[in-house]
Amino acid sequence: MITGFSIILNEDILYVSNSKKYNFFEIVLFVQKLITSINPKNSWRLSNIYFEGEPGKERMIIHHELTSDENHLFFCITGDFLSESEEVNKMLLEYVEKVKANYASGEEIQKAAKKTEFKAVIKLITGYLWDKYRDPIEDESIVHKSNNNENRIIYCGISSQGLPIISQLYDKSLLNNLSRDINDENIELFSSNLSAKLATIAMNTQIRAKTNIKEIHFSDLDDRGSKKLIFYGQINGYSLDFFATGDFNKIKEIFIELEQKISQDQVLHHEFSGDLKPFRSLKTYLDEIIQQFDQ
């Protein structure tokens, strides 16, 4: 079931169809800050965010584009629909087409959003889309497809209340995006910054949207549209953050295995006191997972 539509330009939420979902769409702003901090070339496109908490499951599908004047424009749809839903993808494409038929650019959308008739126009579009796709989405079944993209871990970390305990950067080439030398100091700074931004996204999801963020998906235009995936796990109050690229099904399978193994370690059954030494052994699990990526 579809629960909300929105249009976002940079840090401005220009339209929300359902005020109860406003806080969900705010999370896009925090994810965008993450993207620009580690990919200043703007070659990554946000495509999907998955939430799961007490209220249930919710997915956000996103059309993310860079406008001619280098602004980030997002068209978003939330709801309880299946991953890789073809019907929701069709709905999103038609949403973008119909909005742009009335407002051809991000600049026009931004100007129009200040006028009262803007909401009425978008409401007509979203109402039409809801009626058209409601039944096809409800009746749809999905066959998940695998691809042959190289599976590669980028980063893995464990934190407690936003404080990094383990921050392991595996794809050090990300530093090239920031024109930084690949040395121990810069790797540590990058890892700490990434850990902090991932924690910020998770905490703001809990505080604002009253749920948990579980997955974030990007497409990398510099790498033939390959998927970059972030998975979040909660283990006795600790956060497990896993960032990889490649085939979604394979990466999720490995993440679940890692989460299950780490959760059995007794060190995570005690509250974090600030002493990092007892947690060093957890890197063994990460090394084992890396070997699976190399197979």
Side-chain angles (χ1 to χ4, degrees):
M1 182 179 72
I2 301 302
T3 57
F5 296 81
S6 81
I7 301 172
I8 301 170
L9 183 67
N10 292 332
E11 297 184 3
D12 294 326
I13 300 177
L14 302 178
Y15 174 79
V16 174
S17 66
N18 180 352
S19 60
K20 293 180 180 179
K21 294 299 173 184
Y22 185 92
N23 293 334
F24 277 79
F25 295 119
E26 278 189 310
I27 306 306
V28 173
L29 307 181
F30 294 99
V31 175
Q32 178 53 29
K33 288 179 180 178
L34 167 68
I35 298 174
T36 53
S37 70
I38 59 179
N39 181 245
K41 296 188 298 181
N42 289 320
S43 60
W44 295 3
R45 297 291 181 268
L46 180 59
S47 61
N48 199 297
I49 301 175
Y50 178 58
F51 305 94
E52 185 175 9
E54 289 299 326
K57 299 178 180 180
E58 189 123 22
R59 191 174 295 278
M60 186 188 301
I61 187 171
I62 302 147
H63 173 86
H64 174 194
E65 62 182 68
L66 202 65
T67 65
S68 58
D69 49 357
E70 298 292 304
N71 288 312
H72 292 271
L73 179 61
F74 304 89
F75 295 85
C76 312
I77 300 175
T78 57
D80 181 9
F81 48 82
L82 300 172
S83 174
E84 301 179 28
S85 166
E86 292 184 6
E87 294 298 330
V88 174
N89 272 291
K90 289 179 190 175
M91 175 189 264
L92 180 62
L93 289 174
E94 192 167 354
Y95 181 36
V96 175
E97 289 172 0
K98 290 192 176 301
V99 172
K100 287 190 172 183
N102 289 275
Y103 312 103
S105 67
E107 184 180 9
E108 286 188 32
I109 294 172
Q110 188 174 35
K111 288 180 180 179
K114 299 175 183 178
K115 301 176 181 179
T116 55
E117 63 266 23
F118 177 76
K119 289 185 178 180
V121 171
I122 306 301
K123 186 175 181 180
L124 286 173
I125 293 171
T126 57
Y128 162 79
L129 294 172
W130 197 87
D131 286 339
K132 179 178 179 179
Y133 287 97
R134 177 180 53 186
D135 290 340
I137 290 171
E138 292 284 344
D139 297 338
E140 187 177 22
S141 60
I142 304 294
V143 177
H144 293 286
K145 300 175 183 178
S146 296
N147 58 52
N148 295 319
N149 290 342
E150 176 191 2
N151 297 314
R152 187 174 76 254
I153 185 171
I154 296 172
Y155 165 89
C156 188
I158 298 171
S159 61
S160 175
Q161 297 182 345
L163 298 173
I165 295 171
I166 293 177
S167 297
Q168 191 74 34
L169 180 66
Y170 294 96
D171 186 358
K172 298 175 179 61
S173 67
L174 287 181
L175 291 174
N176 295 329
N177 295 338
L178 304 174
S179 300
R180 294 182 187 172
D181 294 333
I182 299 176
N183 56 46
D184 290 344
E185 182 181 358
N186 285 336
I187 289 171
E188 184 176 350
L189 286 171
F190 182 93
S191 299
S192 296
N193 180 55
L194 179 56
S195 176
K197 283 187 166 53
L198 291 171
T200 297
I201 293 168
M203 287 188 291
N204 276 285
T205 302
Q206 292 171 347
I207 294 167
R208 296 170 185 266
K210 310 299 182 189
T211 187
N212 296 312
I213 192 164
K214 303 299 289 185
E215 300 171 16
I216 304 172
H217 303 187
F218 312 102
S219 297
D220 186 347
L221 302 185
D222 279 348
D223 191 16
R224 296 171 297 173
S226 66
K227 291 290 185 184
K228 284 188 163 50
L229 307 159
I230 297 175
F231 291 92
Y232 285 87
Q234 292 294 321
I235 304 170
N236 301 322
Y238 292 89
S239 178
L240 172 64
D241 307 326
F242 192 69
F243 190 1
T245 183
D247 177 63
F248 170 80
N249 295 323
K250 180 63 176 178
I251 291 171
K252 186 164 187 178
E253 175 186 317
I254 291 175
F255 169 74
I256 291 172
E257 182 181 339
L258 172 63
E259 187 178 29
Q260 290 173 343
K261 285 183 176 180
I262 284 183
S263 65
Q264 295 172 17
D265 198 298
Q266 288 302 308
V267 71
L268 296 180
H269 290 254
H270 303 281
E271 188 174 344
F272 180 54
S273 64
D275 183 6
L276 297 176
K277 290 180 182 178
F279 295 88
R280 289 174 181 169
S281 62
L282 296 178
K283 287 189 176 181
T284 303
Y285 299 107
L286 306 187
D287 294 338
E288 292 174 354
I289 290 297
I290 288 297
Q291 292 178 6
Q292 292 191 41
F293 272 81
D294 294 336
Q295 292 175 359

